[in-house]
Amino acid sequence: MMEVKVISLPETAFLDSTTIPREDDVYEVWALCYGSGQNQRVHDNFIRRDMHDGPMPLDYFLWVVRNANRTILVDTGMRPEASVQRGRPIDFDPVEGLERIGIVADSVSDIVITHLHWDHAGNIHRFANARLHLQETEIAFATGRCMCDALHRYPFDVEDVVTVVRKTYADRVTFHCGDGDFLPGTSLHVFPGHSPGVQGVRVNTARGPILLASDAAHYFANVLHRKPFIVTVDTRDTLASYTKLMKVAGGMDRLVPGHDPKIRRYYPACIVNGVELIALHETPDPIDLAELGRFDDF
């Protein structure tokens, strides 16, 4: 099993409000890890399987982007019921995890849904006052004729999609069409392939901009070896998105994949009420590209 970086920050790194950026366009970015798929293997993760098989777990994250003026939630994690139904156990309910670090669901005003897959768009119904932000191409795909095919609808949960439709009718959804500025210091960028409307969030931090790529790249290895994840709608789009990811991010030390446990190896972290939070706004340990791209060290 991969050796994870030792917890290196006190819980006050997150809880001390005096350290939160005061500038309107600078943020802290925290990855909240609420579970890990330890049974995942290399050959479960790639379309092209020309590498040795072995353990390759994937972590489940959502992301908290905050400064003194606002808190933005990126994705809402999987519903606990769905984790049971799909046989993907989690350590704790992600919404309860947010509450344990002081973020109450009803207080969240803006949520970026990177895409509508079941492990990213669950629990939307529990954020009564939030405005959702997602790509128009994603909702079109999730409610269109491709959902007549079991292969295409497998990564979606109908309850999550129906919730988005209901929130649309309640005027709680903003649909975005392609790349563009979002809130001060942030922008949205489309990376189709895994799903047609996958979007990442570029966030300005004290160390410069970082890119929350979500499932535009599940692992660093997807980008480094140009090997798409096993669940991919369009491989041509995915490969083009890998190129775009690097242009938008500007380097591997600024790219944050959606499920890679190696994030926890390179970045400092703290534990708040039993919840692990990875500080992505902090400078990571020196990035070893050869190590990032390995399949055999998980």
Side-chain angles (χ1 to χ4, degrees):
M1 184 179 295
M2 186 188 80
E3 180 180 349
V4 175
K5 186 180 179 71
V6 174
I7 299 300
S8 54
L9 296 174
E11 66 175 17
T12 53
F14 183 83
L15 295 176
D16 186 356
S17 61
T18 65
T19 65
I20 300 175
R22 296 296 191 239
E23 303 94 330
D24 197 40
D25 61 350
V26 179
Y27 297 85
E28 293 179 344
V29 184
W30 298 88
L32 186 158
C33 183
Y34 63 91
S36 182
Q38 290 294 325
N39 294 327
Q40 202 85 354
R41 297 182 63 81
V42 173
H43 286 184
D44 296 327
N45 290 332
F46 299 92
I47 294 175
R48 184 177 174 185
R49 303 169 183 174
D50 57 348
M51 70 290 280
H52 291 296
D53 199 12
M56 193 175 189
L58 52 80
D59 284 349
Y60 297 113
F61 296 105
L62 52 82
W63 299 271
V64 175
V65 178
R66 70 173 188 173
N67 62 22
N69 303 300
R70 68 185 62 85
T71 295
I72 307 164
L73 187 61
V74 180
D75 287 343
T76 53
M78 67 178 77
R79 291 185 298 113
E81 313 92 281
S83 84
V84 174
Q85 292 164 1
R86 293 182 182 245
R88 298 294 181 97
I90 54 179
D91 294 336
F92 52 82
D93 178 337
V95 179
E96 291 181 1
L98 286 170
E99 292 177 352
R100 281 154 59 180
I101 65 171
I103 299 175
V104 179
D106 285 351
S107 72
V108 176
S109 59
D110 289 281
I111 302 175
V112 176
I113 300 296
T114 62
H115 59 304
L116 286 171
H117 286 182
W118 72 281
D119 56 329
H120 291 260
N123 303 305
I124 294 172
H125 62 291
R126 299 164 70 181
F127 294 86
N129 300 316
R131 173 162 293 277
L132 306 181
H133 300 267
L134 68 154
Q135 289 291 322
E136 188 170 351
T137 49
E138 185 69 359
I139 192 65
F141 183 69
T143 58
R145 63 183 179 181
C146 285
M147 295 301 103
C148 296
D149 297 316
L151 178 66
H152 282 139
R153 68 175 176 258
Y154 172 75
F156 297 90
D157 188 309
V158 65
E159 297 303 323
D160 302 333
V161 176
V162 168
T163 298
V164 173
V165 174
R166 292 187 184 280
K167 285 189 173 289
T168 301
Y169 274 73
D171 195 24
R172 289 281 181 185
V173 182
T174 297
F175 293 107
H176 299 261
C177 299
D179 296 1
D181 291 337
F182 183 38
L183 296 172
T186 69
S187 54
L188 304 177
H189 301 267
V190 186
F191 302 103
H194 174 60
S195 193
V198 175
Q199 62 182 349
V201 188
R202 191 172 186 262
V203 183
N204 190 38
T205 73
R207 73 178 179 98
I210 66 172
L211 178 62
L212 302 177
S214 184
D215 288 4
H218 288 65
Y219 298 92
F220 288 109
N222 292 123
V223 179
L224 289 170
H225 295 287
R226 298 183 66 80
K227 290 180 180 292
F229 189 68
I230 189 70
V231 179
T232 296
V233 171
D234 190 309
T235 55
R236 182 178 62 178
D237 281 351
T238 298
L239 293 173
S241 287
Y242 291 163
T243 301
K244 181 180 176 182
L245 278 169
M246 291 310 301
K247 289 181 179 179
V248 175
M252 281 293 171
D253 61 337
R254 300 185 182 277
L255 177 68
V256 182
H259 291 276
D260 200 328
K262 291 182 181 179
I263 286 292
R264 299 161 68 197
R265 181 183 295 177
Y266 280 92
Y267 286 88
C270 64
I271 299 290
V272 177
N273 292 325
V275 176
E276 181 182 0
L277 296 168
I278 300 96
L280 302 174
H281 52 280
E282 298 284 353
T283 301
D285 288 348
I287 299 293
D288 182 338
L289 293 181
E291 188 276 332
L292 278 187
R294 287 176 59 180
F295 304 102
D296 61 350
D297 64 341
F298 286 87

